[in-house]
Amino acid sequence: NAGVMQNPRHLVRRRGQEARLRCSPMKGHSHVYWYRQLPEEGLKFMVYLQKENIIDESGMPKERFSAEFPKEGPSILRIQQVVRGDSAAYFCASSPQGAGTYSNQPQHFGDGTRLSIL
Amino acid sequence: AQTVTQSQPEMSVQEAETVTLSCTYDTSESDYYLFWYKQPPSRQMILVIRQEAYKQQNATENRFSVNFQKAAKSFSLKISDSQLGDAAMYFCAYRSAGGNKLVFGAGTILRVKS
């Protein structure tokens, strides 16, 4: 049973370019979460999505960042006009049912995408 | 807002010995879940163990066990018979029962000496 798949593993962008990070959840999982890990820090929640819906984006910067989880295909985290401060590891996690339903199901993480901004 | 504190930036343990990693959290909620995740140099996030706040019994997974003290808001991880493969960054995480996001501590680097 394949785990959460993230690609690319490493992404290098120049300042001002766009970065697209992809996440395919585990089979049977319909809930996706994105987290950001800055160097020497823990993971910080960004956004929670179900198929075609953003449920909670309270951790996502209001500008330049967007996320989607279409009916078909992977979830995408998009960062427009990247800046040096966007350099981080971005992790995607998935779960089989919404965490808000009092489920003790853990979130399963992908291996992350390390984004480097030149 | 909930916070998670790991007060030990780094710990060392001799192979085959036991080590305890500390975690405290702050919440006004009574129903929540607590997790320990392991992040080796490969950067994967691996679930080690989880605890439901309503359960008084401490969770155990093979060599890993927790000491959950709800009143003290403490959730420490004990690793017995430490192995070289246990070397990693360990993160404590909190999720409210009705919530959807994990709140992570800053992590503890565990080094295992042979």
Side-chain angles (χ1 to χ4, degrees), chain A residues 9-10 33 35 37 41-43 45 48 56 58 89 91 99-100 102-107 109-114, chain B residues 31 33 35 37 39 42-45 47 50 52 54 91 95-107:
Chain A
R9 192 77 199 272
H10 302 277
Y33 315 81
Y35 293 83
Q37 184 179 27
E41 293 187 16
L43 282 70
F45 169 81
Y48 162 42
D56 181 353
S58 59
F91 286 90
Y102 288 82
S103 164
N104 68 351
Q105 290 290 334
Q107 295 175 15
F109 284 81
D111 290 348
T113 293
R114 186 175 293 282
Chain B
D31 202 7
Y33 306 107
F35 305 86
Y37 281 89
Q39 187 178 45
S42 63
R43 222 178 57 225
Q44 290 176 284
M45 288 289 289
L47 177 67
R50 60 180 156 172
E52 291 88 346
Y54 62 84
F91 291 101
R95 178 167 69 77
S96 63
N100 52 58
K101 67 184 98 172
L102 287 167
V103 178
F104 285 88

Side-chain angles (χ1 to χ4, degrees), chain A residues 18 21 23 25 34 52 57 65 78 86-87 109 115 117:
Chain A
E18 178 179 285
L21 289 62
C23 169
W34 285 94
E52 300 184 277
E57 56 183 346
F65 285 72
R78 186 165 72 161
D86 297 332
S87 295
F109 284 81
L115 176 64
I117 308 301

Side-chain angles (χ1 to χ4, degrees), chain A residues 26-46:
Chain A
M26 284 181 71
K27 188 176 179 180
H29 289 193
S30 57
H31 301 262
V32 165
Y33 315 81
W34 285 94
Y35 293 83
R36 177 165 65 175
Q37 184 179 27
L38 294 171
E40 312 299 326
E41 293 187 16
L43 282 70
K44 297 282 197 300
F45 169 81
M46 298 181 74

